[in-house]
C-alpha cells in the first residue's frame, strides 16, 4: 500500500466517526470564519453551552442545571462541524465520550457524588497524548493504525480522567511536530478558526483552532519552540508554557523524545484565564512527581505580588519587526499598565535573540533529522516543506558537540538571569516580568510557515522561562496603515511584505508574558492583572 493510500484510509477512518446527521450534505465553500459560521448554524442551546466557561459548566453540572451528556453532545457536535471546515482533528471518538458522559451522569444521580473537579467536562487532547485504542501518529503516515495500549496511557491523561474528564477528540499536528504550521501528509492542512486563508500555527494548530471555534474550551498542547503559544496566539487564546517538568510529560508520544538539553513541555490552552489557572492547579495538586520522575516536587503556591509591578516591554527583538497591529497592541498594554499604576520600562534581550535562536535550532536538529528520515523512509512519504534545513543535509553531531551546545545554553541562561535580576524600575523594584510579542504577525498564509520565524517564542524554551499568552485586542481599522520601517534582514523583509490589512482584518492580537523559571503561579497572576488593566 502506498503512503497516499494509507493517509487516505486514515482520513476516511477519522471522518467515519462523525454521526451521519452531523455531516454536511455539501461542505460550504464560502466560509471564511468557521467560528462565526458555527454560531449561525448550530442550535441556540448548544451555542449557549459552549460559550460558558469550564468553571460555569462545572457549577451547572453540580447544580443539575445541565448534565454531562448535554454538555458533551454540544461540544462533540461543534467539533464535528469544525473538523469538516478546518480539518482540526486527528482522532474522533464520540461514542466513547457519550458512554463516559452517561456513566458519570448515572453515577452522580445514584450516589450524589461527583467523580472529581472535572466531572463530566469535555477536554480535548493534542494528537500525541496517548489513550488506549487510539493512534498517536504525530503527523507520520508510518504511525497510522498503530493504536496505543492501556499501559501506554499518558500520565497526564490518567490524572484528568481520574478527575472526571470526558475525552472526545485528539487534534492534528504537523509531521514530527517540528513546524510552526499544521500540515502533514497524513491529515493535510489545518486552517485558522477565524480566517481559512490563514494558518492555525503549529505544532498544536489542531488543538488551538478547535478551541478557537469553541469546539473545546480547554485542551492539552506541547511546546519545544512555541508549539503551545503560536497557535494560541493565532486563535486569541490564553495559554501557558510552564518550565520543564512542572506538568507531567510521562508516556506522551514525542519526536526527538529524549533530547535532554531543551525538552518539550506540556500545558493547556483555553478560552478563559480562570479556567487555565484551575486546570494547571488541578494537575499540580495531583502530585505528578509521584507519577513522573522528571517532575520536580513543587506544590501549588499562593503568590503575593506588590501593588505596583515593574514590567519590561520588549517592542522588537532585533530579529523580526512586528506588524502594525502587534506594535499597537504593545503600546496599548504599556498605556493601560501605566494608568493602572504599574511601572513600565523598556527591555531588550541582554543576549542577541539571534544567538539564542541559532543555538536552539542547532540543538533541535542535532541528529541531522535522522529520526525523521528513518520514519518517513518506512512508507516513502516526503518531508513536509515547512521543515527548515531538511534538504541541507544537516550533519549529525557527536555527543561531545551536543554537550558543547548544552554548555553554551547554560552560560546564556546564567548571563540572562544576571541581567534580569539586576534590572529595576525607577522606584527600585526588580523587574517582575517582561512582555513581548508572541509572534511578529497575527498569522500568515496557511502552509507557508518557516521555523526560523519563531524568534519571539524560542527564548522561553531556551532559557526555560515560564510564558503565558494573553489576548490584547484585534486587528482593526486603526491598523489600516502601511508597515513603514527598515527591515533588519531578509526574514524581516519577508515579514514586512506579508503585511496586508485586508488579509489580517479581525484577527486576534496577543502578547506574551515572561516570568522566570518555575514561576507558573506568578505568571498566571500577572496575566490576570494585565488582563484586568486592559479592560479599564
Amino acid at each position: 500500500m502506498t503512503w497516499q493510500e494509507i493517509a487516505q484510509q486514515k482520513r476516511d477512518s477519522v471522518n467515519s466517526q462523525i454521526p451521519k446527521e452531523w455531516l454536511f450534505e455539501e461542505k460550504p465553500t464560502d466560509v471564511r470564519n468557521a467560528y462565526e459560521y458555527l454560531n449561525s448554524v448550530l442550535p441556540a442551546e448548544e451555542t449557549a453551552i459552549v460559550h460558558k466557561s469550564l468553571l460555569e459548566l462545572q457549577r451547572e453540572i453540580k447544580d443539575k442545571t445541565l448534565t454531562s451528556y448535554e454538555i458533551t453532545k454540544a461540544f462533540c457536535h461543534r467539533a464535528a462541524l469544525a473538523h469538516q471546515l478546518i480539518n482540526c482533528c486527528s482522532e474522533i471518538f464520540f461514542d466513547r465520550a457519550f458512554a463516559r458522559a452517561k456513566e458519570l451522569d448515572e453515577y452522580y444521580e445514584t450516589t450524589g457524588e461527583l467523580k472529581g473537579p472535572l466531572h463530566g467536562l469535555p477536554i480535548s487532547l493534542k494528537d500525541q497524548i496517548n489513550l488506549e485504542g487510539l493512534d498517536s501518529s504525530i503527523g507520520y503516515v508510518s504511525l497510522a493504525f498503530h493504536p496505543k495500549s492501556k499501559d501506554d496511557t499518558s500520565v497526564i491523561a490518567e490524572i484528568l480522567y481520574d478527575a472526571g474528564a470526558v475525552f472526545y477528540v485528539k487534534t492534528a499536528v504537523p509531521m514530527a511536530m517540528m513546524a510552526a504550521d499544521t500540515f502533514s501528509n497524513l491529515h493535510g492542512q489545518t486552517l485558522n478558526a477565524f480566517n481559512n486563508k490563514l494558518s492555525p500555527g503549529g505544532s498544536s494548530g489542531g488543538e488551538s483552532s478547535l478551541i478557537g471555534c469553541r469546539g473545546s474550551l480547554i485542551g492539552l498542547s506541547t511546546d519545544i519552540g512555541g508549539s503551545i503559544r503560536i497557535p494560541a496566539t493565532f486563535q486569541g487564546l490564553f495559554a501557558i508554557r510552564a518550565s520543564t517538568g512542572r506538568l507531567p510529560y510521562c508516556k506522551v508520544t514525542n519526536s526527538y523524545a529524549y533530547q535532554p538539553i531543551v525538552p518539550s513541555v506540556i500545558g493547556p490552552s483555553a478560552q478563559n484565564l480562570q479556567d487555565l489557572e484551575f486546570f494547571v492547579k488541578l494537575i499540580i495538586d495531583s502530585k505528578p512527581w509521584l507519577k513522573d520522575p522528571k517532575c520536580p516536587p513543587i506544590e501549588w503556591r499562593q503568590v503575593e505580588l506588590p501593588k505596583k509591578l515593574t514590567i519590561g516591554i520588549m517592542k522588537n527583538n532585533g530579529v523580526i519587526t512586528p506588524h502594525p497591529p502587534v506594535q499597537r497592541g504593545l503600546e496599548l498594554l504599556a498605556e493601560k499598565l501605566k494608568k493602572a499604576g504599574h511601572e513600565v520600562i523598556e527591555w531588550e534581550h541582554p543576549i542577541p535573540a539571534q544567538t539564542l535562536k541559532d543555538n536552539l535550532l542547532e540543538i533541535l536538529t542535532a541528529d541531522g533529522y535522522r529520526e525523521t528520515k528513518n520514519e518517513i523512509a518506512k512508507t516513502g512519504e516526503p518531508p513536509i516543506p515547512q521543515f527548515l534545513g531538511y534538504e541541507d543535509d544537516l550533519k549529525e553531531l557527536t555527543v561531545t558537540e551536543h554537550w558543547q551546545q548544552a554548555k553554551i545554553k547554560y552560560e546564556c541562561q546564567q548571563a540572562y538571569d544576571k541581567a534580569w535580576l539586576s534590572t529595576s524600575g525607577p522606584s527600585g523594584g526588580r523587574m517582575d516580568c517582561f512582555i513581548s510579542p508572541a509572534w511578529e504577525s497575527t498569522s500568515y498564509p496557511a502552509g507557508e510557515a518557516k521555523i526560523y520565524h519563531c524568534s519571539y517564542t524560542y527564548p522561553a524554551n531556551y532559557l526555560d522561562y515560564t510564558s503565558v499568552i494573553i489576548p490584547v485586542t484585534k486587528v482593526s481599522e486603526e491598523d489600516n496603515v502601511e508597515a513603514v520601517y527598515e527591515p533588519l534582514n531578509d526574514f524581516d523583509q519577508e515579514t514586512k511584505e506579508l503585511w496586508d490589512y485586508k488579509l489580517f482584518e479581525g484577527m486576534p492580537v496577543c502578547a506574551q508574558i515572561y516570568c522566570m523559571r518555575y514561576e507558573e503561579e506568578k505568571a498566571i497572576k500577572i496575566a490576570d492583572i494585565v488582563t484586568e488593566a486592559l479592560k479599564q
Side-chain angles (χ1 to χ4, degrees):
M1 192 179 293
T2 67
W3 71 261
Q4 293 96 331
E5 291 171 330
I6 298 170
Q8 186 61 56
Q9 191 177 71
K10 181 61 184 178
R11 290 193 289 271
D12 292 344
S13 174
V14 172
N15 291 332
S16 72
Q17 299 305 307
I18 300 174
K20 290 181 180 178
E21 62 271 21
W22 290 353
L23 290 170
F24 289 119
E25 289 186 15
E26 188 173 331
K27 180 181 172 181
T29 57
D30 58 346
V31 175
R32 175 180 168 116
N33 187 317
Y35 165 73
E36 290 182 354
Y37 178 79
L38 294 175
N39 287 344
S40 70
V41 299
L42 283 165
E45 60 273 19
E46 291 186 8
T47 301
I49 287 172
V50 302
H51 280 81
K52 297 177 186 290
S53 72
L54 196 75
L55 292 175
E56 286 174 326
L57 293 176
Q58 179 194 53
R59 288 191 293 271
E60 298 208 7
I61 287 176
K62 185 176 182 181
D63 296 341
K64 298 188 176 180
T65 307
L66 287 170
T67 64
S68 172
Y69 184 82
E70 290 170 327
I71 295 169
T72 298
K73 183 181 177 184
F75 280 100
C76 287
H77 192 184
R78 197 168 178 103
L81 269 59
H83 176 65
Q84 293 172 74
L85 293 172
I86 61 172
N87 194 33
C88 54
C89 296
S90 62
E91 299 286 340
I92 291 173
F93 43 102
F94 296 154
D95 287 349
R96 188 187 296 195
F98 293 146
R100 166 75 165 166
K102 287 178 181 178
E103 174 191 309
L104 290 167
D105 285 337
E106 289 170 6
Y107 179 86
Y108 188 32
E109 188 64 35
T110 302
T111 67
E113 301 281 336
L114 297 174
K115 278 282 188 180
L118 289 176
H119 179 104
L121 297 173
I123 305 296
S124 52
L125 304 170
K126 188 176 180 179
D127 177 82
Q128 64 191 111
I129 314 301
N130 295 342
L131 294 179
E132 181 182 3
L134 298 171
D135 288 348
S136 292
S137 55
I138 59 173
Y140 286 119
V141 174
S142 59
L143 297 181
F145 302 109
H146 292 282
K148 298 297 183 180
S149 70
K150 183 177 181 180
D151 289 342
D152 295 325
T153 303
S154 300
V155 163
I156 199 164
E158 290 178 341
I159 290 169
L160 299 177
Y161 189 86
D162 290 346
V166 175
F167 302 133
Y168 61 114
V169 291
K170 296 213 296 177
T171 51
V173 301
M175 176 188 284
M177 301 175 298
M178 290 286 283
D181 183 36
T182 298
F183 170 81
S184 69
N185 298 315
L186 181 61
H187 292 292
Q189 180 70 52
T190 301
L191 304 174
N192 189 281
F194 304 122
N195 186 333
N196 66 359
K197 296 184 186 316
L198 298 178
S199 172
S203 64
S204 310
E207 188 61 37
S208 283
S209 61
L210 178 68
I211 299 172
C213 281
R214 286 202 179 249
S216 173
L217 286 181
I218 194 165
L220 285 174
S221 298
T222 62
D223 194 310
I224 198 171
S227 289
I228 293 173
R229 292 161 291 150
I230 299 163
T233 296
F234 291 178
Q235 263 80 207
L237 307 177
F238 293 95
I240 185 167
R241 185 260 172 218
S243 292
T244 302
R246 191 77 202 273
L247 301 177
Y249 213 105
C250 188
K251 297 187 180 180
V252 171
T253 296
N254 201 14
S255 56
Y256 305 91
Y258 303 106
Q259 178 272 113
I261 300 175
V262 181
S264 179
V265 302
I266 195 164
S269 301
Q271 285 281 357
N272 183 282
L273 182 60
Q274 284 68 44
D275 289 349
L276 187 89
E277 180 177 35
F278 161 76
F279 198 79
V280 173
K281 182 177 184 298
L282 180 155
I283 295 167
I284 292 173
D285 284 348
S286 75
K287 301 185 186 300
W289 51 89
L290 300 178
K291 306 175 183 76
D292 183 349
K294 290 188 176 181
C295 287
I298 305 174
E299 302 270 2
W300 182 265
R301 299 158 296 188
Q302 295 302 319
V303 176
E304 293 297 328
L305 295 175
K307 288 186 178 180
K308 180 189 288 187
L309 295 173
T310 302
I311 297 175
I313 299 286
M314 176 183 290
K315 297 179 180 179
N316 190 318
N317 68 357
V319 178
I320 299 182
T321 304
H323 276 177
V326 180
Q327 294 182 32
R328 180 175 64 83
L330 288 173
E331 294 290 348
L332 178 65
L333 267 173
E335 174 191 331
K336 294 285 188 177
L337 288 167
K338 288 175 184 175
K339 284 186 177 179
H342 303 293
E343 289 188 347
V344 175
I345 59 176
E346 290 194 9
W347 175 253
E348 296 180 354
H349 285 308
I351 299 168
Q354 189 71 42
T355 300
L356 306 181
K357 186 170 73 74
D358 288 349
N359 190 218
L360 179 58
L361 273 176
E362 290 169 2
I363 291 166
L364 298 184
T365 58
D367 80 331
Y369 280 125
R370 176 185 289 271
E371 180 180 299
T372 295
K373 290 175 181 177
N374 289 344
E375 202 60 54
I376 66 177
K378 294 176 183 178
T379 59
E381 68 166 311
I384 60 173
Q386 288 89 337
F387 275 174
L388 174 67
Y390 187 91
E391 302 297 340
D392 296 341
D393 196 24
L394 292 174
K395 179 173 73 85
E396 184 172 358
L397 302 186
T398 66
V399 171
T400 302
E401 288 169 328
H402 201 38
W403 287 348
Q404 182 63 23
Q405 292 175 329
K407 175 178 180 289
I408 294 168
K409 179 212 168 191
Y410 189 34
E411 289 172 346
C412 285
Q413 283 181 301
Q414 294 172 63
Y416 207 106
D417 287 1
K418 183 178 180 180
W420 181 320
L421 294 171
S422 63
T423 299
S424 58
S427 61
R430 194 193 89 191
M431 187 170 73
D432 293 289
C433 70
F434 73 88
I435 300 177
S436 82
W439 191 267
E440 62 270 9
S441 63
T442 56
S443 185
Y444 43 80
E448 296 184 13
K450 297 294 185 184
I451 207 166
Y452 54 65
H453 279 292
C454 304
S455 60
Y456 283 100
T457 56
Y458 278 169
N461 304 93
Y462 188 76
L463 301 164
D464 204 15
Y465 285 162
T466 304
S467 171
V468 171
I469 298 298
I470 61 167
V472 177
T473 184
K474 290 186 177 181
V475 180
S476 67
E477 186 59 37
E478 295 174 73
D479 305 306
N480 192 4
V481 297
E482 296 209 8
V484 181
Y485 55 85
E486 188 65 33
L488 301 166
N489 48 54
D490 291 345
F491 302 151
D492 204 15
Q493 177 66 35
E494 181 183 307
T495 300
K496 182 179 180 180
E497 292 172 358
L498 175 64
W499 170 240
D500 178 351
Y501 171 70
K502 290 294 184 185
L503 178 62
F504 296 107
E505 184 180 7
M507 286 295 289
V509 177
C510 291
Q512 178 175 203
I513 297 170
Y514 275 88
C515 285
M516 298 192 85
R517 281 173 290 281
Y518 298 104
E519 291 190 335
E520 288 73 30
E521 299 90 341
K522 178 181 178 181
I524 292 171
K525 193 160 188 175
I526 290 176
D528 187 41
I529 291 169
V530 175
T531 301
E532 286 302 312
L534 282 168
K535 294 176 183 177
Q536 302 307 314

